Structure formats: structure tokens, C-alpha cells
Amino acid sequence: VMSSFFANYEQLSAVWTTLASNPWFILKPKSTMQSDDPLYFTLFLLIAMTCFTYYKTVSTGNCSYVDRIWSIAPPIYVTFMGVHYFVKHDFVLNDRLSLLFFLVFGWGIRLTYNLYSKGGFKNESEDHRWALIRTWFQGKDMQWHLFILFFVNIYQMLSIYAFSVFPAYIIYYGAATLQLCDLPLTILFSLFLFIETIADYQMFEFQEGKKMQIRSRKFNQINDYYLDGFYSDGLYTLSRHPNYFAELGQWWCIYFLSCLGGESVFNLNWSVIGVLNLSFLVYKSMNLTEDITNFKYPKYKIYARRTSQFFPWIPKVAKIKNNSNKKKD
């Protein structure tokens, strides 16, 4: 069990030995690309993209550059993995890496389009939560700059790398042919992708409608649907964050794909670190979002009491005291 969990230990050990003896090797794009192990060039890409996001964050003061890379980096990593295998194995495709490519590419297209439709790629666009986080560092310029360096850029970029490259690396050195359980995992991944697409579309339609109401100054005509300030219909009647639920579901499917094709039918492995860390990030982001929403919209607490926070579930029926039958003295 332990040997299967620490899969590819020999390959990882060789990479570590090379980088320990020659750390500058990782900064040579041509050499890392031509190396027999695909991990070298993915590390070069990680460093290059992290330097780019850090430079843009510092030069513009906008903390959302990592958000723009979030949906682009995993398809780039996985594409390189597939191409590297193809070139190094006499131009033979790895079926499971090809499957992984299509799944991650589909995930990336959806997320990129969702961000684009909300104007997320505009220079002035920034996630609204960063405004609150900035208040935590008022009068603490050095701490804020360290936070930008280590959390906003290095930690988040490492997180993207971990949940996408780690399982791809396991699959790279595993069985090249499709496994029996790949099909149900692919179907499940597609279901999660569909759920997240619908959830994001419903939220986008609501937010656009609310903006139109405000722009048209129909304050007296506004109905409760927009007056509450938050969306609670559609998939959001089953979960307060169905998009987060579906997002994590997709990456857990990717991890489980990496558990197939080993020595036994199903092998847990160390790449779980990536998706566990992503789960932690989503949990913290979800709670921060709820803190902001609770502060802005008083009725959100009522909605939260009847609706599951994460896992979709039947909403609780509100208990209303009925005093209509009581007679006055």
C-alpha cells in the first residue's frame, strides 16, 4: 500500500537530485523541455507564470492576475505532458493523458469564458473580496507586500500546479491504455462540469438583472427577487455554493483517475495533496464570501438556515409560528 501511495518515487528522487546539484537547470526552457522527465519543464512554466503574475500584481496593484491564470495554467500543463509523452515514446499517444487533456481543456474553456463574460480579463477588474482583505493590512505595508508575494502569487500558483500537474504526472508514468473505471469517472466529471456551468449561468443572469434594475433606477418597482440582493433560486435552493461543489467534484475525479492504472485496481497516491489543498482553499473562500454576504444582506442568514452550505440537499422547511387561532382576551 505504501509503495503504491508513493508512486514514481524513483523519478521524483532523480528530479530532486538533479535540481539539488544544478538548481539553475530549471531556468533553461530548451533543456527542460528536452529532458526525459516532463516535470522539469512544468516547473519552468510555474516559475515563469508566477513571476508574471507577481510583476503584474505589484505594478498595477490588482490582485486578480492569478485568477486570470487559474483557468489557463492547468490546460497548458496537461497539454505539455501529453505532447512530451508523444514525442518521447516514438509518437505514440497515451490514451489516458489524452482523456485528461479533453477533461481539463473542457474545464478550462468553461471557467475562462465565465470569467470573460463577467469582465474578469479587463485591466481594472478585480475580485471584490480583495477589497476586504486589504483592510486587514491597513498601515502594514511590509506585511501586505509579503502577503502579495507569498500568498497571492507563490502559494496560489503552487496550488494550481499541485492539483493539475501532480495527478497528470502519476498518469504519465502509469498505464497508457484506458481503464474500465475511466468511463464512470469521465461521466461523473462531465456531470460536475454541467452543474457548474448551470450554476454560474444562473448566478450571472441574476447579477446582470440586478445591475439593470439599479441602472434604470427602478428602486420603487424592484421586486423581492432582486431586493434581497442575493440569488436563492435554481440550483441555489439545494446548495448555497453549487458552483464550488461542482468545481471540487471535477478535480476529485481527476485525482481518482490518477489512482487507476497502477499495480492494483485502485491505488491511492501522494498527488492527493493537490486536491486536498484546493479543497481547503475553496472552504476558506466560501466562508469569506459568506461573511461579506451576511454583512451586506440581512436576509441571507434566513436563507443560510434553510439551505445546505456545500453539498446539494433538500432545503429545510421554515418553522413559522401560527398565532392566528389565538383569541384575544
Side-chain angles (χ1 to χ4, degrees), residues 208-254:
E208 288 299 301
K210 188 169 70 171
K211 289 177 185 177
M212 288 183 64
Q213 288 277 6
I214 294 172
R215 288 169 186 166
S216 60
R217 298 181 179 275
K218 296 180 179 178
F219 301 112
N220 295 327
Q221 304 171 30
I222 202 166
N223 54 39
D224 288 340
Y225 181 71
Y226 294 116
L227 194 60
D228 289 346
F230 58 90
Y231 185 64
S232 58
D233 289 341
L235 292 176
Y236 291 81
T237 60
L238 304 175
S239 168
R240 305 202 296 273
H241 304 279
N243 51 337
Y244 287 164
F245 166 75
E247 173 73 10
L248 276 184
Q250 290 167 81
W251 286 107
W252 275 101
C253 285
I254 295 297

Side-chain angles (χ1 to χ4, degrees), residues 89-103:
H89 291 79
D90 299 323
F91 304 102
V92 175
L93 283 173
N94 183 311
D95 293 341
R96 302 195 75 233
L97 279 176
S98 299
L99 172 62
L100 183 63
F101 165 79
F102 284 113
L103 296 180

Side-chain angles (χ1 to χ4, degrees), residues 61-186:
N62 190 325
C63 293
S64 280
Y65 277 93
V66 174
D67 298 340
R68 297 166 191 176
I69 293 290
W70 194 281
S71 63
I72 298 172
I76 292 175
Y77 289 139
V78 173
T79 298
F80 171 73
M81 287 280 199
V83 172
H84 186 276
Y85 185 96
F86 181 70
V87 172
K88 294 294 181 179
H89 291 79
D90 299 323
F91 304 102
V92 175
L93 283 173
N94 183 311
D95 293 341
R96 302 195 75 233
L97 279 176
S98 299
L99 172 62
L100 183 63
F101 165 79
F102 284 113
L103 296 180
V104 174
F105 197 73
W107 168 88
I109 289 177
R110 189 215 65 79
L111 189 56
T112 302
Y113 177 76
N114 181 60
L115 186 62
Y116 171 79
S117 64
K118 295 188 293 187
F121 287 97
K122 294 179 180 178
N123 291 332
E124 68 277 9
S125 177
E126 185 183 57
D127 190 303
H128 69 280
R129 288 169 291 192
W130 291 118
L132 173 63
I133 294 174
R134 277 190 182 88
T135 64
W136 303 347
F137 295 89
Q138 286 182 348
K140 304 175 182 177
D141 294 342
M142 179 58 71
Q143 290 92 324
W144 172 244
H145 191 83
L146 291 174
F147 179 77
I148 288 176
L149 173 62
F150 289 106
F151 178 81
V152 177
N153 289 277
I154 293 178
Y155 172 65
Q156 287 198 106
M157 292 301 292
L158 280 172
S159 297
I160 298 170
Y161 184 87
F163 69 70
S164 57
V165 173
F166 286 178
Y169 191 69
I170 300 291
I171 293 173
Y172 183 98
Y173 284 109
T177 56
L178 293 175
Q179 305 297 297
L180 180 62
C181 291
D182 286 342
L183 178 59
L185 281 174
T186 300

Side-chain angles (χ1 to χ4, degrees), residues 49-61:
M49 286 189 282
T50 303
C51 289
F52 168 77
T53 57
Y54 177 67
Y55 168 75
K56 295 298 288 184
T57 302
V58 172
S59 61
T60 65

